[in-house]
């Protein structure tokens, strides 16, 4: 049962009296909670998800990430831009050696303003690996 409008008005007056009477003293917890209005805030949940929800768990859209990574790879000076595809492997398809692959990962780090740990960077051997890693990274911009 909901309170009547008279009860709501009485409660509002009581809250006003509490605020007015406590204004000369240090504010109490009750007065502070009455004075503040609840604010809207965004909540991001960091939890494991099922395979069906994988697309929902990414932080940047995979299509945008793929487009930006393809641009980075095509602009790399030791890569022939005509050979770059979404499934290109750095060493096999693009002819990059291990040092060039490290430089490629560094260029991707710069593009998305993230830092990829060495252990993770060693696992990134293709454009699709890079897209998967960056799309799931919470700090990628």
């Amino acid at each position: 049962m909901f309170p009547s409008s008279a009860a709501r008005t009485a409660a509002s007056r009581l809250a006003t009296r509490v605020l007015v009477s406590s204004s000369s003293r240090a504010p109490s917890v009750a007065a502070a909670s009455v004075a503040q209005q609840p604010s809207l805030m965004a909540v991001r949940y960091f939890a494991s998800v099922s395979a069906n929800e994988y697309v929902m768990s990414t932080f940047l859209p995979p299509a945008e990430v793929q487009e930006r990574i393809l641009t980075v790879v095509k602009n790399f000076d030791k890569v022939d831009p005509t050979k770059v595809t979404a499934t290109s492997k750095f060493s096999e398809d693009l002819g990059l050696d291990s040092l060039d692959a490290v430089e490629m990962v560094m260029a991707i780090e710069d593009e998305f303003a993230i830092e990829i740990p060495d252990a993770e960077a060693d696992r990134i051997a293709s454009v699709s690996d890079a897209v998967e890693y960056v799309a799931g990274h919470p700090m990628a911009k």
Side-chain angles (χ1 to χ4, degrees):
M1 185 165 166
F2 296 106
S4 66
S5 67
R8 285 192 302 257
T9 304
S12 173
R13 288 183 186 148
L14 177 62
T16 303
R17 283 191 207 129
V18 168
L19 289 175
V20 171
S21 66
S22 65
S23 64
S24 60
R25 300 177 290 183
S28 67
V29 174
S33 65
V34 171
Q36 295 177 349
Q37 295 294 324
S39 63
L40 298 176
M41 59 190 245
V43 177
R44 185 177 269 180
Y45 295 97
F46 295 94
S48 62
V49 293
S50 68
N52 294 337
E53 298 172 348
Y54 174 73
V55 175
M56 299 297 284
S57 70
T58 59
F59 296 93
L60 287 177
E64 176 188 337
V65 171
Q66 181 176 346
E67 180 182 325
R68 289 171 61 186
I69 288 177
L70 287 173
T71 302
V72 168
V73 174
K74 287 178 182 178
N75 290 333
F76 195 70
D77 59 346
K78 297 180 181 179
V79 171
D80 180 10
T82 59
K83 294 182 179 179
V84 177
T85 65
T87 58
S88 296
K89 295 184 179 184
F90 297 148
S91 62
E92 297 169 11
D93 300 330
L94 303 177
L96 299 178
D97 61 14
S98 60
L99 183 58
D100 294 334
V102 169
E103 290 178 10
M104 181 68 67
V105 171
M106 290 172 56
I108 292 170
E109 287 177 331
D110 291 342
E111 173 67 23
F112 292 95
I114 59 174
E115 187 173 329
I116 301 173
D118 292 339
E120 296 294 325
D122 291 341
R123 294 185 196 139
I124 298 175
S126 67
V127 172
S128 58
D129 291 341
V131 169
E132 182 180 337
Y133 182 83
V134 173
H137 196 286
M139 301 301 289
K141 297 177 183 176

